[in-house]
Amino acid sequence: MTERLDVFMARANAAYYAARDPYADFTTAPEISQTFGEALGLWAAVAWQMMGAPDPVILAEAGPGRGTLMADALRAIARTAPAFHTALRLHLVETSPRLRALQAGCLPGAVWHHRIEQLPAGPLLLLANEFLDALPIRQFVRRAAGWTERHVLDGNFVELPAAAPDLGAAEGEVVEVSEAARAVATTLGARLAASGGAALFIDYGPECRAPGDSLQALRGRAPADPLRAEGEADLTTHVDFSALAEVARAAGAGAQGPVPQGIFLARLGLPQRAAALARGQPPARAAALMEAARRLTEPHAMGRLFKALALCHPALPALPGFSE
Ligand code: SAH
């Protein structure tokens, strides 16, 4: 049966995250270095102060994976911002029962939800690393005769005539639209404008929207055919940060960034924290700790392709990492 790409992708990723160990197929920043989650925890603590230190406050994570980022964040918060640690209520947005069980093992007291819309009302701080890239997209192709949309049929793309997306492209170019990611930014934008707070998204994609097919599948750390490994490979795409900032602003929120991850983490002091951890360790261990931090920040590794974007209450001044 012919299906739209976003329908196929939503089903494939739901099956994938429900059944497979994603960390057998790819690794992520919090799994590379504990300093990543620690830095994001301190980011949330400073943002909480800037919000006027509301008590209680919801600290949420979307797509927490194994729970590593939040466990590292909470440890850093408990040590450096005890009042925030007391005020926060931990909520996790996760669809996979398998990953929820792993998260429960290291994040006692958390409350789970399927969707960001289900988070309880009130001031919110939300963290999300590599969450948006897993959300389904539609792909449109600019043909000489007009626009088409890519559908999936028996493991292949077929193009069907489509209404023009609100985007420019040259003949033969593909443009991608994630209605799911836009819905997340709209929902969050409206609630952050109404009840206060900030949401920090870290993911990969270009600073400005650019045409191109970014759909990819990873299985066992190697590229796979995205249409032929349904549920067995992780499907991801580049995140369109400019679109998310735009829809969040239209919903009344502020948007800060995107800032390249390397610059963002350096501004949060991640290299210094890695050096502090390495001090006093045996040389091989110290070198591994420093190398992990460099992987997160160096431009040719994860420092440039990955970006940080914050959506927030429009009255909040520059959040940590978003100004020089
Ligand atoms: N943030 C983690 C995991 C990234 S993998 C890390 O950095 O290691 C993507 C995560 O998002 C997984 O936890 C996956 O189960 C979750 N996820 C994917 N699609 C989702 C959706 N539509 N709703 C909620 N969670 C989703």
Side-chain angles (χ1 to χ4, degrees), residues 39-292:
L40 268 50
L42 298 185
W43 181 92
V46 175
W48 178 69
Q49 290 289 349
M50 291 169 68
M51 290 158 66
D55 181 0
V57 64
I58 297 160
L59 176 63
E61 185 179 355
R66 278 181 185 150
T68 308
L69 188 165
M70 189 54 85
D72 291 337
L74 290 173
R75 197 181 53 247
I77 292 167
R79 207 166 42 217
T80 60
F84 177 42
H85 196 260
T86 307
L88 70 85
R89 304 288 178 271
L90 184 59
H91 289 262
L92 303 175
V93 179
E94 174 62 69
T95 41
S96 159
R98 211 188 139 272
L99 290 174
R100 280 188 180 197
L102 290 179
Q103 292 154 18
C106 60
L107 299 171
V111 178
W112 281 265
H113 309 274
H114 278 95
R115 303 168 56 83
I116 284 176
E117 290 82 346
Q118 294 165 336
L119 288 170
L124 168 73
L125 285 160
L126 180 132
L127 304 174
N129 183 60
E130 293 210 46
F131 168 70
L132 298 172
D133 65 273
L135 298 181
I137 60 155
R138 298 172 69 176
Q139 287 187 330
F140 298 91
V141 192
R142 179 92 177 84
R143 296 293 178 200
W147 284 93
T148 63
E149 178 169 8
R150 282 176 150 183
H151 288 63
V152 181
L153 177 63
D154 299 333
N156 293 298
F157 278 128
V158 292
E159 290 178 31
L160 301 179
D166 188 16
L167 299 164
E171 195 183 324
E173 280 183 337
V174 174
V175 297
E176 300 180 332
V177 177
S178 178
E179 287 165 358
R182 284 169 186 242
V184 164
T186 300
T187 300
L188 281 173
R191 96 165 259 165
L192 292 169
S195 334
L200 176 64
F201 290 99
I202 299 189
D203 227 306
Y204 51 103
E207 216 131 330
C208 296
R209 177 184 300 135
D213 175 0
S214 74
L215 179 65
Q216 62 162 350
L218 277 180
R219 179 166 49 184
R221 298 180 189 266
D225 183 330
L227 305 188
R228 287 174 190 256
E230 188 177 333
E232 290 169 18
D234 174 48
L235 298 183
T236 66
T237 64
H238 284 186
V239 170
D240 183 351
F241 293 103
S242 46
L244 303 182
E246 199 177 291
V247 300
R249 285 197 184 103
Q256 300 182 16
V259 171
Q261 171 171 296
I263 294 172
F264 180 72
L265 294 177
R267 286 175 178 165
L268 296 185
L270 181 137
Q272 290 82 345
R273 171 65 181 149
L277 284 174
R279 226 168 283 137
Q281 295 291 326
R285 173 83 185 128
L289 288 167
M290 294 308 290
E291 173 52 28

Side-chain angles (χ1 to χ4, degrees), residues 28-29 32 130 261-262 295-296 298-306:
T28 56
I32 292 171
E130 293 210 46
Q261 171 171 296
R295 218 174 132 188
L296 300 182
E298 285 199 347
H300 61 266
M302 296 169 77
R304 184 158 45 213
L305 179 60
F306 283 76

